[in-house]
Amino acid sequence: REGNPRAADFKKLRWTAALKTVAFAAQAMNEGLVFDFNADTGEANLSEADLPIAAGDQSPGVIRREGEIAVSVRNFAQTIRFLEAAKRAKGEGREYDEAKRRIRRERGVDVDREIIDQLSGDTAASVGLDRSFASRTTLEDPERFKRSLDRAATALPELLGGLTDERVGPARPGPGKDLHTVEIKDKRYVFGVLNRVFVVATSADAAAQVASQSPAPVEDSQGTVVVAADGEQLANELLGGSDLAA
C-alpha cells in the first residue's frame, strides 16, 4: 500500500519490487486437493538468488498423514536467504547477523555454510488442524550437519527468534540423544537429525515417523512448492471437532 513504511522496505527487494500480480487456485484431483500459486514479475531481469523460492517446474514429493495438509518445498535454504534479505531491508538485520557471528566465535559453527546451506534439499511437512506439525529435510551432508547442529543447538533459538520475530524459548537436549526441544509461541517442538534427515515436529513420535517416511510425488504437480490435502479426510477432521458431527 502506498505510504506504508513496511511496504517501502520490502520494495527494496528485487523480487518484491518486480511483483505485478499474484494468483492462487485450488483444484480437486484423484489424490485430493491440490493448490496452485503463481506470482507474475513480468519481464524483470531477476536471478534465481532474488527469488523467495527456488525456480523451476520440478516438484518435491509430499508426506501423507491422515487428516493433515501436506506442504513441500524444494531448496528451503533459498527461502531462508530471502527472509534474511527481507530482515535487512527493514533495517533489522544487525542483531541477527551479530548472533550468527557469536555462534561462530563461541560454538565454532559457521551458520551459513554448516547449517543453512545444508538445507538445500527437499523439505516435506505435514500440518494438522490441531496445530500438530512434522517435517523432514534432505541434507547435503547429514553427519556434518548433525555435528554442527548439536554444537549450536542451544544458541539457535535467539537466531530463529531474530529472523521470524516470534517468541522462541531456550533449547534443551532431548528427548533421546538425537533430538533437542524448544518452545515457539508457547508450543513445544523437537528438532534434530534422525535417519539422516533433519526433522522438526511437535512430538518425538511424530519426528520418528516422518523421518522414516519417503516423500511421494503428487500427480501432475509442477513448481517448487506443493500443497496437497485429502478433502474428505479434512472434512471429517473438521466435523469431528464441531457440533455438526453429533
Side-chain angles (χ1 to χ4, degrees):
R1 193 175 64 187
E2 198 70 31
N4 186 328
R6 179 159 294 191
D9 288 337
F10 281 109
K11 281 290 186 181
K12 297 174 185 176
L13 300 171
R14 295 191 65 201
W15 179 80
T16 311
L19 194 60
K20 296 183 180 301
T21 60
V22 175
F24 182 83
Q27 57 181 318
M29 302 180 67
N30 291 336
E31 299 192 41
L33 297 174
V34 177
F35 303 89
D36 292 320
F37 173 85
N38 180 269
D40 179 17
T41 56
E43 299 180 359
N45 185 23
L46 300 176
S47 70
E48 186 165 351
D50 295 322
L51 307 178
I53 57 176
D57 292 334
Q58 182 181 352
S59 295
V62 300
I63 50 175
R64 300 282 193 175
R65 290 165 60 85
E66 187 173 350
E68 297 188 357
I69 300 171
V71 183
S72 292
V73 61
R74 183 162 49 84
N75 190 2
F76 187 58
Q78 181 156 337
T79 301
I80 296 174
R81 296 297 187 202
F82 184 83
L83 293 174
E84 290 180 327
K87 191 78 176 175
R88 295 178 185 118
K90 294 190 294 180
E92 300 174 0
R94 183 175 298 177
E95 291 184 5
Y96 174 78
D97 290 333
E98 175 54 34
K100 275 187 180 180
R101 290 190 289 269
R102 188 159 51 249
I103 290 173
R104 184 165 189 170
R105 286 195 309 270
E106 298 177 0
R107 310 297 174 99
V109 174
D110 184 323
V111 171
D112 290 312
R113 291 193 304 108
E114 298 178 52
I115 294 182
I116 296 176
D117 286 352
Q118 287 284 318
L119 304 177
S120 59
D122 291 350
T123 295
S126 185
V127 184
L129 298 178
D130 60 354
R131 294 176 61 212
S132 60
F133 177 87
S135 73
R136 52 170 285 151
T137 301
T138 305
L139 299 168
E140 291 285 327
D141 185 339
E143 287 81 10
R144 182 187 184 192
F145 180 86
K146 185 179 188 310
R147 288 194 301 270
S148 300
L149 183 70
D150 288 345
R151 292 204 307 273
T154 56
L156 292 179
E158 179 187 2
L159 204 63
L160 179 60
L163 181 63
T164 63
D165 294 326
E166 298 289 0
R167 187 172 63 257
V168 182
R172 305 183 303 276
K177 63 183 180 64
D178 295 317
L179 293 175
H180 307 269
T181 301
V182 67
E183 285 193 4
I184 303 175
K185 294 178 66 176
D186 298 324
K187 191 167 185 65
R188 177 179 175 269
Y189 291 84
V190 298
F191 65 96
V193 177
L194 297 177
N195 198 26
R196 297 177 60 81
V197 297
F198 176 55
V199 294
V200 180
T202 45
S203 73
D205 287 344
Q209 290 168 10
V210 79
S212 65
Q213 287 183 267
S214 296
V218 175
E219 183 182 358
D220 296 330
S221 65
Q222 289 187 332
T224 300
V225 178
V226 176
V227 182
D230 185 307
E232 182 178 355
Q233 289 182 357
L234 281 179
N236 290 337
E237 286 288 319
L238 285 168
L239 291 174
S242 72
D243 295 337
L244 296 176

